[in-house]
Amino acid sequence: MPKNQKNIDAQSTDCLLRGWIIGTLSEEALGLVVGLDTAHPIWTTLKYLYAEDSQEHDQSIGEHIRIFKGLCYNLAAIGKPVPDKDKVFYFLTSLGHEYETFTTTMLKPLRPSYSELISQL
């Protein structure tokens, strides 16, 4: 099989898988993967977000920040940027139970900006 044909087959397969995954998602879950181009990052994101007992949830705060920034970047890339105040709220509410005290403190009035929040973590 020619190399070009293999690329076309791989793209077709990925498109089909992406369609199957997206076709099964709720509107809420779909919002979490908007802007992700291929099946692999969509699956990885969903696995991270919904696999409670997975080692993926035991990731470092740095990895959590990286994933969150990536999601915000993807939303901005499709013309749906997340306002700074919303980023602070969404990020804080996405942290695990081990950050509950920090989250409660940061959600009080006079919330920090998103960049201030990240630097405090």
Side-chain angles (χ1 to χ4, degrees):
M1 180 179 302
K3 184 178 180 179
N4 196 21
Q5 182 63 37
K6 287 182 183 179
N7 287 341
I8 292 171
D9 289 343
Q11 289 173 341
S12 297
T13 301
D14 185 77
C15 187
L16 182 62
L17 287 172
R18 186 176 179 272
W20 281 342
I21 294 169
I22 288 175
T24 64
L25 299 178
S26 66
E27 188 173 329
E28 177 185 334
L30 187 58
L32 300 171
V33 297
V34 167
L36 300 178
D37 297 348
T38 62
H40 185 263
I42 292 171
W43 182 257
T44 303
T45 300
L46 293 171
K47 181 177 129 183
Y48 161 73
L49 293 170
Y50 292 107
E52 290 183 33
D53 296 326
S54 168
Q55 290 181 347
E56 297 290 323
H57 272 303
D58 294 334
Q59 69 183 344
S60 70
I61 191 66
E63 181 68 7
H64 189 81
I65 292 168
R66 187 189 68 73
I67 291 169
F68 186 82
K69 283 182 178 180
L71 290 171
C72 290
Y73 174 81
N74 287 334
L75 287 169
I78 63 164
K80 301 289 185 184
V82 180
D84 193 70
K85 287 183 179 185
D86 291 344
K87 279 184 190 178
V88 170
F89 178 78
Y90 294 143
F91 183 81
L92 287 170
T93 56
S94 72
L95 294 174
H97 294 292
E98 62 271 17
Y99 290 92
E100 190 171 336
T101 302
F102 179 79
T103 298
T104 302
T105 302
M106 291 295 123
L107 284 174
K108 291 183 178 180
L110 298 174
R111 289 184 193 165
S113 69
Y114 176 71
S115 59
E116 291 168 338
L117 174 71
I118 296 304
S119 68
Q120 289 183 27
L121 284 167

